[in-house]
Amino acid sequence: MDNGDRSGAGAGAVGSAGSLGLRVGQAVFSSASLLFMSVGVEFFSYTAFCFLVTIMGLVIPWSCTLAMIDVYSVLVGCPLRVPGVMVIVVVGDCALSIVSFAAACSSAAVIDLLLQFHGSHCSPRFCGRYQLSAMMAFLSWLLMAASAIFNLWFIASRW
């Protein structure tokens, strides 16, 4: 393989079809997490749940914006190659990955604690929705971490 060929985008780097798939997945799982947590559920009683809602509310526009950039890059055939922008994407992905993991973990811990009290603090309907929300947040985090790793790898291999 010739490392001198710099025309193709990395497998999951910004501007590739792989990145588009990761971004769409992040947006879908973050939206699902946000909807399971906030629609018809009183999440605001627990700080961890408020943290999860806030972080998923940040991940959705970040992922959708980068998905639009990916769609443009794939359709035009001109992947993003500006080093400064790539660094911003990597830093944003890393930061959001860390805080989304923290939000998912803290929510899962609170759910576990609520279930330890045998449902006295959480009805089965609410706890089930909280669990689904935390699971979707973990899936979103997994895709966000993959995006961060792919983009960091792309930067390290190109510059």
Side-chain angles (χ1 to χ4, degrees):
M1 175 168 31
D2 181 20
N3 287 336
D5 178 26
R6 301 188 190 279
S7 61
V14 173
S16 68
S19 176
L20 177 60
L22 289 170
R23 299 298 174 185
V24 169
Q26 291 166 21
V28 167
F29 288 130
S30 296
S31 298
S33 176
L34 188 64
L35 287 173
F36 281 126
M37 185 60 74
S38 61
V39 175
V41 181
E42 297 177 8
F43 68 90
F44 49 85
S45 301
Y46 302 98
T47 305
F49 297 161
C50 293
F51 181 49
L52 179 69
V53 167
T54 302
I55 297 306
M56 293 299 113
L58 292 172
V59 169
I60 293 167
W62 174 262
S63 298
C64 288
T65 301
L66 290 173
M68 287 187 287
I69 292 170
D70 289 336
V71 166
Y72 175 79
S73 294
V74 168
L75 290 177
V76 172
C78 180
L80 187 65
R81 292 287 183 259
V82 182
V85 174
M86 288 297 293
V87 169
I88 291 170
V89 169
V90 168
V91 169
D93 277 347
C94 288
L96 282 174
S97 177
I98 291 167
V99 294
S100 64
F101 183 67
C105 287
S106 64
S107 294
V110 169
I111 294 164
D112 187 48
L113 184 66
L114 290 173
L115 290 173
Q116 293 297 323
F117 289 116
H118 303 292
S120 62
H121 293 287
C122 182
S123 72
R125 183 180 136 226
F126 286 166
C127 275
R129 298 211 37 196
Y130 293 155
Q131 286 175 322
L132 284 172
S133 178
M135 182 181 68
M136 294 296 138
F138 275 114
L139 291 172
S140 177
W141 162 74
L142 185 66
L143 295 176
M144 182 72 70
S147 292
I149 290 168
F150 281 131
N151 285 312
L152 185 61
W153 180 21
F154 179 75
I155 287 177
S157 68
R158 299 294 178 178
W159 290 290

